[in-house]
Amino acid sequence: MKRFLIGLLMFFAVSTGSSLQADEGMWLFNNLPAEYLKSKYGFEATPEWTEHLMKSSVRFNVGGSASFISSNGLVLTNHHVGSDTLFKISNKEHNYLKDGFLAKSFSDEIKAPDLELNQLITIEDVTDAVKAAVQETMSTEGAVAARRAVIAQIEKDSLDKTGLRSNVVTLYGGGRYHLYRYKKYTDVRLVWAPESAIAFFGGDADNFEFPRYCLDACIFRVYENDKPAVIEHFLKWSDNGAGEDELVFVSGNPGRTSRIFTTDALKYQRDVRMPFVLNLLRRREIVLQQFGLKGVENARRAREDLFGIQNSRKAYLGMIGGLQDPQVMAAKEKAEMQLLAKIKSDPKLKSYESAFATIAEIQKKRVAILGKNIALNSQLFGVAKTIVEMVDEDKKASGERLPEYSEANRESLEQQLYSDAPIYSDLEQYLLADSLSMMLELRGADDELATKVMNGLGPTERAAELVQNTKLLDVVYRKELVKSGSEGIESCNDSMIRLARILDADTREFRKINDELAEGEKQAYAKIAEVLFATKGTSTYPDATFTLRLAFGTVKGYEQAGESIPAWTKFGGAFEHETNHTGQEDFVLPETWKKAKENLNPETPFDFVCTADIIGGNSGSPVVNRDGELVGLIFDGNIQSLTSDYMYSDKDMRATSVHSSAIREALKYVYNAGHIVDQLGK
Amino acid sequence: MKRFLIGLLMFFAVSTGSSLQADEGMWLFNNLPAEYLKSKYGFEATPEWTEHLMKSSVRFNVGGSASFISSNGLVLTNHHVGSDTLFKISNKEHNYLKDGFLAKSFSDEIKAPDLELNQLITIEDVTDAVKAAVQETMSTEGAVAARRAVIAQIEKDSLDKTGLRSNVVTLYGGGRYHLYRYKKYTDVRLVWAPESAIAFFGGDADNFEFPRYCLDACIFRVYENDKPAVIEHFLKWSDNGAGEDELVFVSGNPGRTSRIFTTDALKYQRDVRMPFVLNLLRRREIVLQQFGLKGVENARRAREDLFGIQNSRKAYLGMIGGLQDPQVMAAKEKAEMQLLAKIKSDPKLKSYESAFATIAEIQKKRVAILGKNIALNSQLFGVAKTIVEMVDEDKKASGERLPEYSEANRESLEQQLYSDAPIYSDLEQYLLADSLSMMLELRGADDELATKVMNGLGPTERAAELVQNTKLLDVVYRKELVKSGSEGIESCNDSMIRLARILDADTREFRKINDELAEGEKQAYAKIAEVLFATKGTSTYPDATFTLRLAFGTVKGYEQAGESIPAWTKFGGAFEHETNHTGQEDFVLPETWKKAKENLNPETPFDFVCTADIIGGNSGSPVVNRDGELVGLIFDGNIQSLTSDYMYSDKDMRATSVHSSAIREALKYVYNAGHIVDQLGK
């Protein structure tokens, strides 16, 4: 399970108004459900336990989670989280993504071109400061600007003071603002990755299913000053992993959930946005498949994007499937009616009632603008757009800029902008042609701006012209352009830069409209959050925001179509699974596994499920026991869990993990990586 | 190249107003371009030559073309035209579609479950009779009814008189009406088919490309009274095929073209309908792929549909790509301006000017209704819908019914309705679930009718309920239901029948609206046709109507991206093509070819291109020389030819054929089918 694609609109919101389900919640590390854990599980999360787990957790800024697993900088995550890097360090000769990799020594470890890992150090409540900057009398536009300015200032001050990456996080849809400070690691090197055939055994068919037999794991190492970093907080490796019904914890970064969404907002998702996104995903899936059909190297180039798209498509299908179930929607409506009844009956809350109508109104406006912006699927165009915006934004004070260009975010932005990860011109051209075609479909081919974009050519020809007449593949040229400032950009005749300039005004205008809608929603959801605080206190959790959360649950199987699904699979099952799917290309075990078969204990646990409440972005999260020892590695949720975007149930929703023993045994017996095993948890 | 899917809206229209391009045209057999052929090629199509070719030509009602190639009933067509039958006669044990088939003797030949072949016998102009029945004073609805009635009567009278299948064809978008009489063959048996790996060598990647190396051919035999039919008109087999620049003719059934479309109509296609259809095609493609991933037998069940969808998707992408090219649209606009100028300057034509505005208005109405009908992708639902409608329609006089239920069409309809071709419940359920989900997206899940359709369930659950509670898999039950009449249908609690009844009124209403729009277009295009007749006489050809047409051209290579593409490929090239694509699954030659390699002459021509003007539906058309001998078998058009839907050019548009020698040599040396070779052309 990959975090849903960045750029397909992010969500924010606050936790549901309905009563908490058993084991529900993606809890803030500074507001854990202490009472519940104690009464139900007799477990007490001490400050030391909590801090240790928090600081042992790692965020991958490509959209996943991870953990420190040794004092000398080893980081464990999923193969599909590392795959972005595996892809970027591969080429026609070495396909590490497909064939795997093992460093025999430190000097073999391969540096990732643009990976940034974050370790959460502190959380500080800055709600008062942020709220004080926004006055009720302000226009929507004014409110956006004022909040943006105060947040940029808080982040900048924190960065200056601590040297730590500092981000203000909007929680409970605007009910609270917390400042998160991270230690950044930007020298990250690949240590080990298995073959994609075992990391993603069963392929798209098995994705989001259980039973599974995937070693969806890989190991990086963080460096400082060109040496393995010395890590204070890291997870011990459990000897045997977790047993049936055992309490486990998941510490990771869920990307987004929509649990507080009003029914109007959910219906917009169900009837408008999700169908739109699904059409887009299917379109990209087919385009990438088509590109891959042209040859083996083409297939390699398209593979990483294709996997991400297929994963999102299957996730969205699960989400829309739930929303299209009348019973699911009826439950949501019922909960909303109850909340509304409470508001109406309480004079203190009555003023919050309008929030629901406001959200409904905003959904209508969202319908009207959906797909009207020109979003071109091209990395080179993305580079051009960033440069054009950056040069412009840099003329303003940091707090007045679009947030990604603020001073506090500059270092991370430049790491991406000046990355020398490969960009393939042929793939770029192919995707851009489709993207231009889609623009013409969405705006109508006679649209004035679209006509300017096309420059008198058809999509295929224009894409060729654009890709063949840009120098932005060259990172040095990018830096020169930024340095050349406004004048340089204005006189620049690079094809992509010129295109970015053509689109700049429209992109900014669309963003402004979108920001205002988001602001309106933010204010309305903040009101609903206040209602919840008023009735429940803050003993609830906010919707996911791709920041560190703690989930918990027990290791437990479930019922599916009358069948009992056990909590575990075992190594032996993987070989049977292959036999049961003879003739299907995604079900062929790697040679390494076939060779190692006789040395592997068929009873070794492989993958397991638990009831913890997770979602995309939790990929790579460590699963730990009461003692904080690593017992598993989250890599997926079952198909039933896809509706957890808007509601949780422990009935049959499950989080799927690789068992800690499977990773250790495979390292030892399949990959002959005893030297890595020796470092685990030490 | 498969004929674009029936059901995705058919087109009609009349030939372009711009001046004829060299070798352009899909000519009526009763109105060939005699003068042009004589002056450019010194060729005279005598009545005997014409009648012989016409009667040697065969239409496959699944959407393709073919020809008689022996006196004892052999019929040659494409593997991808025969594939519908190859799929239907296959099962888990015998996959004839994939593995091929060869009958050693008559008794081995396998009967197709529901194939109807048509041989065109006569063409009669009935324009006056049809036009006389429709008065200017009639409402649109009245005009539809009156025309429908007179056409049904003409067809019925003809059927009664001649016993031949009789269809009135609307030509020049309503400018002319011709009665086509066909001899029907319904006992059709499979004689030979190659493996799909060579029929579709290069797969989706090579589809619509050239050079090609495909043996996209198969052979059936028609029977009468359980004996091989005795055929008077059949094609001789050319000894060596056609040479470079040689004049060739293509006799087949192009499905539809849109060459007369006004620019407003083309823009509706470009900006609205084609994007909609492409989203639908991509959606079905992904769904079929997903179903196929579940196992080898699943993949087999999905394969035939999947191929059709992929083919359509690629074809539509080519079409929309052309329309999105500003230069193509500018050329269309220029031609239209010229025609309009002519109309305005001629007092006799002035009254026709409004036709363009009428068509523009209708496009707006089409935008408003597109996708609003509920079209469920389920064969079982299709059966239920047909039964419910049929029982209702049968209460009316033949001429008042929806045309497909008229007496003249009854036999063909029943052959489909009572076919015992396999329907796979698991595939049905899977496709229906997606289809229900799409309905909810298009209408909004709170829509009243959609809510009735869902019966309180989500798409997956409702699809399961529908498929598991119908008995329509049983052909006997279908017959009983029809027999039970209105009362039987009303009291029937079969799930699919009940669903068809829920949807009946809405379906009829949508059809009525659609028929009225089509009628409005018909009247407008008929006016434009009159302008063309007035300026050019009838020395032009009507847009394609899936009826027999003659195209012609020369065998000729072309330039592509500065590269010279030769007119031919050779057997030897197929083996090189495999080597050049090692590691790609669609580029593996069958074992039979590898074994036969040393017996094959690498210089044998394999596939070739010519300038003839064809389109989807021409698949399987014979290519003949001046002497009427078979020199090739149309199976595709190149990627450039996809825009021939709305314009033709001989610059780089090419029709792709299997060379007659390739078929003969492969039969002999690869398939050891000397006994078939001995019958060819004899």
Side-chain angles (χ1 to χ4, degrees), chain A residues 10 70 83 88 193 289 293 342 378 423 452 538 578 680:
Chain A
M10 289 293 287
S70 79
S83 64
K88 285 175 176 169
Q289 284 180 354
L293 285 179
K342 202 178 288 177
S378 153
I423 295 178
K452 273 188 204 154
T538 52
E578 180 185 41
L680 297 179

Side-chain angles (χ1 to χ4, degrees), chain A residues 86-98:
Chain A
L86 292 169
F87 175 69
K88 285 175 176 169
I89 60 173
S90 293
N91 51 42
K92 199 172 172 178
E93 286 70 40
H94 298 285
N95 191 344
Y96 300 120
L97 181 57
K98 178 165 173 279

Side-chain angles (χ1 to χ4, degrees), chain B residues 115-174:
Chain B
L115 211 46
E116 177 187 317
L117 306 194
N118 293 155
Q119 176 194 28
L120 180 58
I121 303 297
T122 64
I123 304 177
E124 189 182 322
D125 192 329
V126 294
T127 307
D128 293 344
V130 174
K131 289 204 167 176
V134 182
Q135 312 301 328
E136 283 261 346
T137 54
M138 284 175 171
S139 67
T140 311
E141 198 181 345
V144 172
R147 185 175 298 109
R148 191 172 278 172
V150 68
I151 286 175
Q153 193 60 48
I154 293 168
E155 290 177 346
K156 171 78 166 45
D157 291 347
S158 170
L159 173 66
D160 290 347
K161 198 174 86 184
T162 63
L164 295 173
R165 171 174 175 147
S166 300
N167 295 118
V168 172
V169 182
T170 303
L171 298 166
Y172 302 99

Side-chain angles (χ1 to χ4, degrees), chain B residues 15 20-21 23-34 36-37 123 172 180 250-252 254 538-542 547-552 613:
Chain B
S15 149
L20 223 55
Q21 289 263 344
D23 298 350
E24 177 174 350
M26 303 167 175
W27 298 87
L28 297 170
F29 266 75
N30 57 349
N31 188 24
L32 297 183
Y36 182 87
L37 287 172
I123 304 177
Y172 302 99
Y180 278 54
V250 176
S251 172
T538 50
S539 69
T540 181
Y541 64 95
T547 51
L548 196 68
R549 304 294 180 88
L550 189 71
F552 59 89
D613 186 4

Side-chain angles (χ1 to χ4, degrees), chain B residues 7 284 371-378 381 435-436 438-439 503:
Chain B
R284 294 219 176 139
K372 295 297 181 217
N373 60 324
I374 296 180
L376 298 175
N377 185 21
S378 153
F381 174 73
S435 206
L436 290 168
M438 191 174 87
M439 171 194 75
L503 289 174

Side-chain angles (χ1 to χ4, degrees), chain B residues 95-111:
Chain B
N95 191 343
Y96 300 120
L97 180 57
K98 177 167 175 276
D99 302 328
F101 174 78
L102 175 66
K104 293 284 179 198
S105 65
F106 291 148
S107 62
D108 284 350
E109 296 174 3
I110 304 176
K111 190 169 174 177

Side-chain angles (χ1 to χ4, degrees), chain A residues 433-616:
Chain A
D434 176 67
S435 205
L436 290 168
S437 185
M438 190 174 87
M439 170 194 74
L440 295 175
E441 293 176 19
L442 289 174
R443 295 179 78 102
D446 291 339
D447 174 78
E448 195 185 331
L449 184 58
T451 304
K452 273 188 204 154
V453 169
M454 297 309 292
N455 201 26
L457 299 171
T460 308
E461 295 72 27
R462 178 58 170 151
E465 183 183 71
L466 282 166
V467 173
Q468 286 161 22
N469 292 293
T470 181
K471 288 179 283 183
L472 290 175
L473 277 171
D474 178 4
V475 172
V476 176
Y477 180 68
R478 295 179 203 170
K479 290 180 182 168
E480 282 169 10
L481 266 178
V482 170
K483 229 174 168 177
S484 75
S486 287
E487 278 181 38
I489 297 292
E490 268 163 45
S491 62
C492 173
N493 65 1
D494 184 275
S495 57
M496 283 290 181
I497 293 287
R498 289 176 75 109
L499 178 61
R501 290 188 60 221
I502 289 172
L503 289 174
D504 188 49
D506 190 71
T507 304
R508 285 176 179 274
E509 176 61 21
F510 184 84
R511 173 142 180 194
K512 201 178 131 204
I513 294 169
N514 208 54
D515 283 347
E516 286 182 20
L517 295 182
E519 174 65 25
E521 283 177 328
K522 193 175 286 188
Q523 293 181 2
Y525 280 121
K527 282 185 188 170
I528 297 178
E530 293 304 327
V531 174
L532 293 170
F533 294 153
T535 54
K536 303 175 142 198
T538 52
S539 68
T540 180
Y541 64 95
D543 262 312
T545 45
F546 196 46
T547 50
L548 196 67
R549 303 293 180 89
L550 188 72
F552 59 89
T554 56
V555 177
K556 203 190 286 290
Y558 58 103
E559 297 279 316
Q560 181 171 270
E563 206 187 335
S564 181
I565 310 283
W568 273 276
T569 61
K570 298 172 182 173
F571 273 178
F575 294 94
E576 288 165 27
H577 202 51
E578 180 185 41
T579 307
N580 293 340
H581 290 81
T582 303
Q584 296 180 253
E585 60 173 339
D586 291 333
F587 292 83
V588 181
L589 288 168
E591 282 308 311
T592 51
W593 282 70
K594 291 178 182 170
K595 277 187 199 149
K597 186 175 178 185
E598 59 186 33
N599 296 322
L600 291 173
N601 178 356
E603 294 299 314
T604 303
F606 204 152
D607 296 340
F608 70 96
V609 288
C610 70
T611 60
D613 186 4
I614 64 155
I615 204 153

